[in-house]
Amino acid sequence: MSKLTDKAKGISFDDVDEPTPEVPADRPRTAIGAISASIAMGRGVEAENRELRAKLEHFEDATVVELLDPKRIKPSRFANRHELSFAGADFEGLKAEIAGTGRNVQPIKVRRIGQGADGKDEFEIAFGHRRHRACLELGIPVAAIIDELSDAQLFSEMERENRERQDLSPWEQGVMYKRAIDEGLFPSLRKLASSIGAQVGNVSTAVQLASLPAEVVNAFPSPLSLQFRWGSVLKAAVDKNPDAVAVLAAELAAMTPKLPAKEVLARLTGGPAASSRSAPTAFKANGKVVGNWDQDPKGNVVVRIKAGALPAAKERRLREFLEKLLE
DNA sequence: TCCTTACTGATAGATGCCTC
DNA sequence: GAGGCATCTATCAGTAAGGA
């Protein structure tokens, strides 16, 4: 059955691919019939138009992914990624994944910021800095969604995407929040928190972490190792004695290799250093290890003696000795 | 009144210890 | 060595207190 005849009869178009018979059985045989068929065909075209319009409406809000030259895309000025986020096994894994598939499967989001000297469009990243950097280093086009975004929208998109991935360090979050406040994107932490759907207390803590003096941050092996709850204790230490902390931080920053993050925290805040705890000391009897002497995190001395190594009589003598010793 | 900070409790994940 | 359990740690949500 032909498409034309179908439309003339106003019935389903499902079989449009069916081969057209050479002589349609229901072709109009009179002028009146031909006119009627023509009117009916018109209605069929209208129906088709309606259908196409409906399909277009369906795609109206859909996002279109384009392949862009990564060199024409710039990092966001609110970019929160520390340079160390673009190094290491995780980033190499991402690069390998993108290289394997030939493109970034999950597109990045950008906004158009103008045109370069050559008249070609240039873009700013809303989110997907690591995917962009990977494509840039691999020399392949980056799949991107282009959207028209205001500064606040760009910031919110970037923040939301990062938070959903939960791979942004507390310090990086703090830097991002602080920059948004400093740039005047949001009038207050409260407004920022409500805009991105975060708790104001948590935003405040992150900003506190990012507001630490640079020398304090540099004392750590990496800013990424800073933890949320360290912000308040480090700030208290800096407020209490800024000069002494700055000098100490500079000394710690100059160490190679740098001390572990927890050790740096302990040194800067005057807390108990992790490394100050002694390693367990083994007890030997007749050349065999029969127990050890240790210290728990609270500083309690713990003496362990293997079962069977201390007969009841000797255990009693040991208790008496310790009681006398500690009097 | 609004904003920031500090504190508390809940939850999830990590780690260590014990038993088999 | 594996599995179960307890403890510790980090984060987040909610809220109260203090300051401008």
Side-chain angles (χ1 to χ4, degrees):
Chain A
M1 193 179 292
S2 76
K3 191 174 179 179
L4 182 67
T5 312
D6 275 345
K7 283 179 179 174
K9 296 180 89 174
I11 59 174
S12 166
F13 305 147
D14 290 345
D15 52 353
V16 292
D17 292 333
E18 199 176 301
T20 305
E22 289 192 5
V23 183
D26 51 359
R27 172 180 285 180
R29 294 166 194 261
T30 65
I32 300 291
I35 292 167
S36 298
S38 173
I39 292 168
M41 185 178 71
R43 281 203 289 271
V45 169
E46 278 179 16
E48 190 175 35
N49 284 341
R50 277 198 299 276
E51 195 177 328
L52 287 171
R53 269 200 296 274
K55 281 183 180 173
L56 279 174
E57 280 168 10
H58 177 72
F59 284 106
E60 212 161 56
D61 294 329
T63 50
V64 179
V65 176
E66 294 188 32
L67 287 175
L68 303 175
D69 179 355
K71 289 176 190 163
R72 310 206 71 84
I73 303 173
K74 296 178 172 26
S76 165
R77 62 192 168 104
F78 305 112
N80 43 20
R81 289 280 179 196
H82 188 269
E83 198 55 28
L84 288 174
S85 292
F86 301 109
D90 280 356
F91 183 65
E92 289 307 317
L94 176 68
K95 266 176 76 175
E97 184 186 316
I98 291 174
T101 54
R103 56 165 282 191
N104 51 314
V105 176
Q106 192 185 355
I108 70 170
K109 193 165 205 175
V110 299
R111 69 171 175 179
R112 200 173 269 107
I113 53 172
Q115 294 177 327
D118 54 4
K120 289 184 179 173
D121 285 340
E122 293 199 328
F123 306 90
E124 180 181 3
I125 302 172
F127 58 74
H129 284 85
R130 293 200 333 144
R131 278 164 278 165
H132 166 255
R133 175 73 75 90
C135 290
L136 186 67
E137 290 183 9
L138 290 167
I140 60 175
V142 56
I145 297 166
I146 304 171
D147 205 352
E148 301 307 317
L149 300 167
S150 67
D151 281 353
Q153 284 171 327
L154 179 113
F155 176 84
S156 295
E157 291 256 357
M158 180 168 67
E159 203 284 333
R160 191 172 297 118
E161 218 265 346
N162 284 327
R163 199 142 40 88
E164 280 171 6
R165 279 208 323 275
Q166 297 184 335
D167 67 346
L168 212 58
S169 78
W171 181 82
E172 286 175 315
Q173 287 178 44
V175 168
M176 181 174 66
Y177 298 151
K178 189 169 181 299
R179 197 169 294 162
I181 295 289
D182 291 347
E183 296 265 351
L185 236 56
F186 300 95
S188 67
L189 284 185
R190 187 171 291 274
K191 290 281 192 314
L192 188 158
S194 99
S195 169
I196 61 176
Q199 283 300 310
V200 66
N202 298 330
V203 173
S204 170
T205 306
V207 169
Q208 199 174 48
L209 207 54
S211 304
L212 290 168
E215 57 266 29
V216 171
V217 175
N218 290 338
F220 288 84
S222 155
L224 309 186
S225 60
L226 285 162
Q227 295 174 6
F228 267 110
R229 65 201 183 103
W230 296 359
S232 56
V233 290
L234 284 167
K235 182 176 180 291
V238 171
D239 289 348
K240 190 177 172 186
N241 202 338
D243 295 336
V245 170
V247 170
L248 185 55
E251 287 173 7
L252 292 169
M255 291 175 79
T256 43
K258 285 185 176 179
L259 293 173
K262 281 191 176 178
E263 191 73 35
V264 174
L265 175 75
R267 299 266 183 116
L268 291 175
T269 60
S275 66
S276 69
R277 284 173 52 202
S278 55
T281 307
F283 283 120
K284 283 185 181 176
N286 298 325
K288 285 185 176 178
V289 175
V290 293
N292 63 56
W293 179 285
D294 198 4
Q295 227 178 352
D296 70 12
K298 292 176 182 172
N300 299 313
V301 174
V302 180
V303 179
R304 288 190 189 84
I305 298 172
K306 283 187 177 176
L310 192 66
K314 286 187 178 178
E315 184 181 331
R316 193 171 54 247
R317 278 171 58 195
L318 176 62
R319 271 207 308 272
E320 288 169 1
F321 170 75
L322 287 172
E323 281 169 2
K324 237 180 183 179
L325 181 71
L326 297 170
E327 270 177 358

